[in-house]
Amino acid sequence: MRHRGLWAWLLLPPALWLAAVGLVAWQQEHLIFRARVLPPEHRFDLGPDVHEVTIPVDGAVLHALHLRLPSPDGVV
C-alpha cells in the first residue's frame, strides 16, 4: 500500500512537466504570433530606417517592413 503512494508522488512531477510542455506546444503559435487585423489605411511610422513595402497577392495585399541600416553587418 505504501509503495503505491510513493509511485504516485514520483510520477506526478514528470506528468505535470509533460502536460505543461504539451500545453505550450499546442498553443505555441498563439504565444508567439499575436495577430490582429489592422485597418487598410494603417501605415507604420517607425523612423527613417524602416520602410513599408506592399506585396500584392491574389485577394490581398501583404505589408512588410524593410529595415535599411547605413552599414549593416548582415542580412536577416
Side-chain angles (χ1 to χ4, degrees), residues 1-75:
M1 229 353 159
R2 189 172 176 191
H3 294 288
R4 288 184 188 174
L6 179 63
W7 278 109
W9 282 107
L10 288 175
L11 293 177
L12 183 63
L16 291 175
W17 182 81
L18 284 174
V21 169
L23 180 65
V24 169
W26 179 52
Q27 290 293 316
Q28 68 181 334
E29 190 169 325
H30 175 71
L31 293 170
I32 297 170
F33 303 107
R34 295 189 176 216
R36 64 175 202 241
V37 177
L38 297 174
E41 64 275 359
H42 180 79
R43 296 295 171 253
F44 292 98
D45 184 20
L46 300 173
D49 292 337
V50 180
H51 303 278
E52 186 173 3
V53 179
T54 57
I55 304 166
V57 295
D58 292 337
V61 176
L62 301 178
H63 294 262
L65 298 178
H66 184 197
L67 175 61
R68 297 180 189 169
L69 297 176
S71 56
D73 291 334
V75 176

